[in-house]
Amino acid sequence: MGIVEYIIAWLSANAGKLIWLAAVIIAAVIISKLVSRGLRTLLDRSQVPSASIFINLARVLIWVIAVTIVLQPVFGINPTTLITALGVGGVAISLGMKDTIANVIGGFGLMLGKVIQPGDLVTVAGTTGVVKDITWRHTVVKARSGDEIVIPNSVLNTSSLERVTEASEGCVTVPFTLKSGTDLDAASIRMIATVGKATAEYAADGNPPLVKFTGFSPYGVEGEIMVFAKPGIFASTVRDAAVRSLAGEEFLEQRAATGE
């Protein structure tokens, strides 16, 4: 018997199994898409955080059920036997995938406990930004610069997390030193007006610049002016505009550092 005849004979003998396998795969694909779409819509309408970890879990469950359905009739494998074998090997697998398992459990802990949700403005692991998504393995935080930082969920569970406001996240500080003998109130009013005008197009509405004095130095009174940037504006852009506007002011000490 040639190869072609053998293939035809094999297909004829297993036609029923192949049809059943194809039907289950097609059904799983369709159901997976419908459930994912419906679940995403449901999460968007509810107060439950809309993160891909829930949708991915639903997809995994659908495919696990699909595999279980075809094991016995198509491959002749008893699902109970397979589950028992997986249970025995589960210990070895878990040891090799402990980091992944920690990330998965961490992701569910973060979401179900509502510790962090997509859209939150947070500072974690030295990164400040908006939580874009929480997957089964990691959390994506989008910084003001547009960069997306990927943080493993296990790190989030063991690191301090700070929720911040838009005003504090967009706060840009410019340090300064007033010359000795300068009227602090008059200098403050002048700097607020000057910097406010220079940064008007970058500053958040309803948040004018603030001047805070922080201490003393051999050159005079030290302080900083705070400007609150709009979302999406780089801190460097606001700082540049503020510094340019203050350059040349006679009441500011602009001596270069000498290291003495």
Side-chain angles (χ1 to χ4, degrees):
M1 179 182 295
I3 297 178
V4 176
E5 290 80 2
Y6 177 81
I7 293 175
I8 293 175
W10 185 86
L11 290 175
S12 299
N14 297 277
K17 295 181 180 180
L18 294 176
I19 293 174
W20 177 247
L21 178 62
V24 172
I25 292 176
I26 294 173
V29 171
I30 295 174
I31 294 173
S32 177
K33 290 183 178 180
L34 292 177
V35 170
S36 298
R37 187 180 305 171
L39 187 57
R40 189 177 298 277
T41 301
L42 180 63
L43 291 174
D44 290 339
R45 293 179 179 177
S46 67
Q47 295 182 347
V48 179
S50 179
S52 61
I53 187 171
F54 294 110
I55 298 174
N56 290 335
L57 175 62
R59 289 173 177 169
V60 169
L61 290 176
I62 290 171
W63 282 103
V64 168
I65 294 173
V67 171
T68 303
I69 291 174
V70 300
L71 279 177
Q72 183 69 44
V74 176
F75 301 102
I77 300 175
N78 190 331
T80 304
T81 304
L82 181 61
I83 293 173
T84 303
L86 290 176
V88 174
V91 176
I93 294 175
S94 63
L95 291 176
M97 300 180 63
K98 60 180 181 179
D99 291 337
T100 300
I101 294 173
N103 288 329
V104 173
I105 296 175
F108 277 106
L110 292 171
M111 294 301 300
L112 297 179
K114 294 186 178 180
V115 177
I116 185 174
Q117 303 177 30
D120 284 352
L121 188 57
V122 299
T123 296
V124 59
T127 299
T128 299
V130 177
V131 178
K132 184 178 179 181
D133 190 16
I134 300 177
T135 71
W136 62 274
R137 186 177 184 276
H138 58 256
T139 296
V140 181
V141 176
K142 187 173 183 179
R144 176 177 286 268
S145 62
D147 297 335
E148 293 186 356
I149 297 89
V150 178
I151 305 174
N153 292 331
S154 58
V155 173
L156 286 176
N157 268 338
T158 56
S159 301
S160 60
L161 185 147
E162 178 184 1
R163 288 192 179 91
V164 298
T165 63
E166 290 187 0
S168 62
E169 186 270 338
C171 182
V172 179
T173 59
V174 178
F176 62 82
T177 302
L178 292 183
K179 294 179 179 179
S180 300
T182 301
D183 186 322
L184 300 187
D185 291 335
S188 297
I189 295 173
R190 175 67 178 273
M191 285 189 290
I192 289 174
T194 301
V195 173
K197 181 178 180 181
T199 60
E201 61 179 307
Y202 309 122
D205 297 334
N207 290 282
L210 296 176
V211 170
K212 300 293 183 181
F213 297 105
T214 58
F216 301 93
S217 74
Y219 300 114
V221 179
E222 294 184 338
E224 58 186 20
I225 184 164
M226 298 182 291
V227 185
F228 302 95
K230 293 178 181 178
I233 301 297
F234 289 176
S236 58
T237 301
V238 179
R239 186 176 292 108
D240 176 75
V243 171
R244 288 175 183 270
S245 68
L246 293 175
E249 291 288 356
E250 67 281 356
F251 53 80
L252 291 177
E253 178 60 66
Q254 300 182 18
R255 182 182 306 178
T258 60
E260 299 180 355

